[in-house]
Amino acid sequence: MTDGGHAGRSGRGGRTARRWVAALLAVAAVGPALGGCAQSVDPIERLSRKAAEKVRPAAGPTAGAGTEAYRRWGLSAPPAPAPSPRALALPDGDGGGPPVLDRVPTGDPVVFLVFGDGAGKDPRFAALVGELRLPVTVFLTDRVLGPGYGRLRSAGADVENHTLDHPHLPGLPAAGQRAEICGQRDKLKERFGVRSSMLRPPYGAFDAVTLRVASECGVSVVVRGRGVGGGPLRAGDIVVVEPDAGGVASPTEATVALLRDLHARRLAPARLADYV
């Protein structure tokens, strides 16, 4: 085929395209006259809009994978965001030791979720924390440190001190308590690079020696908290989330149930370290 043949077809194609454009412009020009005050829309633009609508994501709060996470966990709404924390005056500890907290003295509509060693053994729990961006604190003993806690740390959980071997601290000599508390502080620094400043004593039990040694080991607050079944939740509660007695519920299931309760009470989970 010659170049002239190409040129002839190109010329005819160009004239045809121009005639179509002229016709479309004429239709657009007479549209207002036919439709009264209706706004004219270029037919080409109208076609483009239809094409765009086929690929446009659905609007609203459920658009996107991130906002669907709470539904995957059986929740009717995402956890409420915590407000910016306010400066607090914590009570003084006995004998110059760190304060002991069962709850945080705040009027903010927040509660604080803390967990023990069982959290790292539940493979779904790290996914729950990461997907919902839950501000949780996990208190660990050395005897159960493992890959599960690395996943929790990567998901955003705070990691704090629960002693090396989970002993009943009251009555132990100072050297023994120091080995348990300072020893776990050093393990957390070695394993996770964490400078732990909170201690949750095993069984919530402590004595004057515990508080003195804890202060020497860099502890700024001793956390006890309350259980999930300890009555209606209130602002400032530190909630120790453990599986139900008998192991009926996993930490994941217990947390999802607690999040439903928080939603009903208009309370938000907040990061403990932001307040203490």
Side-chain angles (χ1 to χ4, degrees):
M1 185 176 293
T2 65
D3 291 341
H6 282 294
R9 260 201 291 270
S10 176
R12 288 193 296 274
R15 287 193 297 274
T16 301
R18 285 195 293 273
R19 283 198 297 271
W20 272 105
V21 170
L24 290 171
L25 291 175
V27 171
V30 300
L34 296 175
C37 295
Q39 184 179 2
S40 65
V41 178
D42 189 315
I44 296 176
E45 180 184 351
R46 196 158 50 231
L47 290 172
S48 299
R49 287 181 184 175
K50 289 182 178 179
E53 286 171 358
K54 293 180 180 180
V55 297
R56 185 178 298 139
T62 59
T67 55
E68 287 291 345
Y70 68 90
R71 297 186 186 278
R72 287 197 294 273
W73 295 101
L75 299 171
S76 62
S84 298
R86 307 175 189 180
L88 298 177
L90 296 178
D92 294 330
D94 295 335
V100 180
L101 295 183
D102 288 303
R103 60 189 312 276
V104 174
T106 177
D108 288 350
V110 296
V111 298
F112 307 93
L113 309 183
V114 305
F115 298 80
D117 292 327
K121 299 176 183 178
D122 182 353
R124 299 177 66 228
F125 185 67
L128 175 72
V129 170
E131 289 187 21
L132 298 184
R133 300 180 183 178
L134 292 180
V136 303
T137 305
V138 183
F139 289 86
L140 302 179
T141 60
D142 179 62
R143 67 185 182 186
V144 295
L145 284 175
Y149 296 107
R151 289 193 296 270
L152 278 171
R153 179 74 177 154
S154 298
D158 288 344
V159 176
E160 294 288 348
N161 193 337
H162 198 36
T163 71
L164 278 176
D165 300 304
H166 206 272
H168 188 263
L169 292 174
L172 287 181
Q177 296 203 37
R178 186 174 294 105
E180 287 289 338
I181 299 170
C182 290
Q184 180 64 348
R185 173 203 62 188
D186 296 342
K187 287 285 187 180
L188 292 174
K189 180 68 169 64
E190 175 187 341
R191 180 70 66 90
F192 299 113
V194 170
R195 293 185 178 276
S196 175
S197 62
M198 297 184 219
L199 169 69
R200 182 172 165 241
Y203 316 106
F206 63 92
D207 58 15
V209 175
T210 307
L211 298 182
R212 175 169 59 83
V213 169
S215 182
E216 295 170 359
C217 294
V219 173
S220 61
V221 61
V222 173
V223 175
R224 291 201 306 178
R226 49 154 289 181
V228 174
L233 295 173
R234 300 178 299 158
D237 279 349
I238 299 171
V239 185
V240 181
V241 186
E242 298 283 6
D244 293 345
V248 174
S250 68
T252 300
E253 293 167 333
T255 304
V256 169
L258 180 59
L259 291 174
R260 292 193 186 106
D261 191 22
L262 293 182
H263 177 71
R265 298 179 187 279
R266 299 182 184 276
L267 294 170
R271 185 172 178 264
L272 185 58
D274 288 342
Y275 282 78
V276 303

